[in-house]
Amino acid sequence: EGAQPTHQLPASDHPQYVVVSTAPQQQQHDPPADEPIATETNSDDVPPDPPSEPTDTDPPPLLGSTTRTGRAIKPSSKMRESMEQREHNIVAYQVEYEVLDPALYTEEDTHADLDDPIAYLFKATADPDTMYHHEAMREPDAHKFRESMVKEVNDHTQRDHWAIMLKKDLPDGEIILPAVWSMKRKRRIATQEPYKWKSRLNLGGHKMIPGKHYDETYAPALSWPIIRLFLILSLLHGWKTRQLDFILAYPQAPVVRPTFMELPKGINFPGLDRNKHCLRVKRNINGGKDAGRTWYLYLKKGLLEIGFQQSRVDECVFYRGTTILLIYTDDCILLDRNEAGINKAIKDLQSKFSVQDEGNLEDYLGVLIRRQDDGSIHLSQPHLIDSILKDLGLIDSDGKPKKDVKEKDMPALTTKLIGPDPDGPEFDYDWSYRSAIGRLNFLEKCTRLDISYVTHQCARFTANPKRSHGAAVKHLARYLLSTRDKGMVLRPDDTKSLECFVDADFLGNWDKRIASNDPDTARSRTGYIITYGGTPIHWASKLQTQFALSTAESEFLALSTAT
């Protein structure tokens, strides 16, 4: 229900759009002859030429032209839209999309994404391959991003994810959400060679209103301990593995509530006016506050319909007979004792979803997975380590260490604790401490348990780091430089089962100089490793939540935490 689109093409009639790299000429595109068009009997009701963007020469509002101080009054976008809608009656129809030339961008366009937390968080990774829209258009391979932009719009259009409508036809009380581009250049982990240019069109979820556009937002995510456990089981039992990817995963689910979105910037819509037209979203576009939850519930329902059952232990693990399916949003791992079971599961999945078979498990969630000749599995993250080293200025752009950089054989100094430094000099390095800690934490949780203690200690001071904390991070980075090709080896022993190793340091962080101002210095630390088949699957190094008064008490607290 809700507002109906002015016009919509059948799926088979959607044209294949052509990319242009120069400023497009504004010309009128006639609709196909066999295509019905909503028209009025008035001969004046023909689609006008696309109006140009508002300029400073636009007429001022009807009521007064200046303020009391003499400043010229300019019409707001809402007022301009209202005035134009009274003057014209636009008829919308399907058109070909073209990529705007970067020279045509306005200052507002180039900074539009800065207001959007989705695009900001996407960019906040400090990854040079992650860009805003206007930044991608200035790259040497901008033509690749232009092609991916058109492909993204084509994919949404051909799959009937939206419909064009007039803004004046919006139901009362509805708002139009912005459209936000997220640009990503993907590289192969092993060779760092670019292989995919991704332009993702997101719904501006930062403008969504709780209770109106969404209610619950929680969606479960697969954890690395579960992934490692099933990889170990696959080695012990000789299971086959396969990697799957859901194509345009979120939009495969229908939208839960009526949603409207602006025409995406950077795309030219001849015959349409972004001040008068918008998109009625039919499917679950990325970026919505509840987009992840909507997709998960839709996926879960489809899996249950084809015979899969959900694990009572982990919401992202499903099984059917001897087939096991691990789901991390839209990236999946299939396991079975034989290839026939995997192929049958893929065929059934493709009957319900748009799924791509990506072959043997090699690159998963940024982790390089390699099977060794001795039957073991090696997990590593060389690309992530290199990105950390580049940001900290330890290697050149070609990946070679700089001349004055010395490697370290330990992740931290053994003679000095990493603790609060209230009187120390302020952090003055030219790199982001918070960004470095975020990536170190992801590295530690995935493949490098040897840096758990140092990473956690440094992370405690993210809010107000000192120069000494920055030096500790650089020391850790020099250790990663000497072990950049190292990772985690999964070589399970079938004579061992589930084991837990726990330890605690009683008052290991004690510093009497600051004890009166920082009681956390009296906390003990817990460290544990849980293994299956003698291979680590989960580990942690963290401060205890209670104050231990003896060595025995700290050990009991650690044992309680680990089990």
Side-chain angles (χ1 to χ4, degrees), residues 70-89:
R71 181 176 59 85
I73 299 178
K74 297 180 181 179
S76 66
S77 59
K78 291 294 185 182
M79 182 177 293
R80 185 180 295 113
E81 175 184 323
S82 177
M83 294 168 60
E84 291 177 349
Q85 285 183 354
R86 291 196 299 266
E87 295 174 358
H88 302 284
N89 182 18

Side-chain angles (χ1 to χ4, degrees), residues 98-284:
E98 297 173 318
V99 179
L100 288 175
D101 188 87
L104 301 181
Y105 296 161
T106 63
E107 189 71 13
E108 178 185 2
D109 291 334
T110 57
H111 295 282
D113 291 344
L114 299 183
D115 178 53
D116 184 79
I118 299 173
Y120 178 78
L121 291 176
F122 212 114
K123 179 63 178 176
T125 59
D127 184 356
D129 290 330
T130 302
M131 290 159 278
Y132 296 121
H133 175 228
H134 66 281
E135 292 174 326
M137 293 298 101
R138 296 169 184 165
E139 292 290 305
D141 53 358
H143 65 284
K144 294 288 188 180
F145 287 109
R146 294 190 184 101
E147 294 174 2
S148 66
M149 286 172 63
V150 173
K151 181 181 184 301
E152 178 80 355
V153 175
N154 278 334
D155 289 342
H156 283 297
T157 303
Q158 293 168 357
R159 289 171 169 80
D160 197 28
H161 292 170
W162 57 42
I164 298 171
M165 66 173 294
L166 289 169
K167 290 184 177 180
K168 68 178 183 179
D169 294 334
L170 254 66
D172 294 338
E174 293 291 346
I175 64 173
I176 304 176
L177 302 173
V180 181
W181 285 106
S182 295
M183 322 298 280
K184 177 74 174 181
R185 182 190 296 113
K186 293 188 176 182
R187 299 178 182 270
R188 301 192 185 281
I189 296 179
T191 64
Q192 289 300 289
E193 177 187 1
Y195 71 96
K196 189 175 183 179
W197 289 258
K198 178 66 177 176
S199 298
R200 172 169 289 175
L201 185 59
N202 297 291
L203 190 69
H206 61 298
K207 298 292 186 180
M208 298 179 75
I209 303 173
K212 177 180 178 61
H213 295 112
Y214 67 94
D215 291 316
E216 297 184 62
T217 60
Y218 167 76
L222 189 65
S223 64
W224 268 101
I226 295 296
I227 297 174
R228 286 189 288 266
L229 174 61
F230 278 98
L231 289 179
I232 292 171
L233 290 173
S234 71
L235 292 176
L236 288 173
H237 301 288
W239 294 346
K240 307 297 182 181
T241 60
R242 195 82 62 85
Q243 186 171 345
L244 304 180
D245 180 46
F246 288 89
I247 303 172
L248 281 175
Y250 282 15
Q252 294 189 37
V255 70
V256 177
R257 300 183 181 182
T259 307
F260 305 91
M261 183 174 70
E262 296 282 2
L263 298 178
K265 292 185 178 181
I267 298 289
N268 185 37
F269 296 83
L272 300 179
D273 180 4
R274 65 177 64 252
N275 292 323
K276 299 179 181 180
H277 295 85
C278 65
L279 300 174
R280 181 173 67 88
V281 180
K282 300 180 179 181
R283 311 298 288 184
N284 181 44

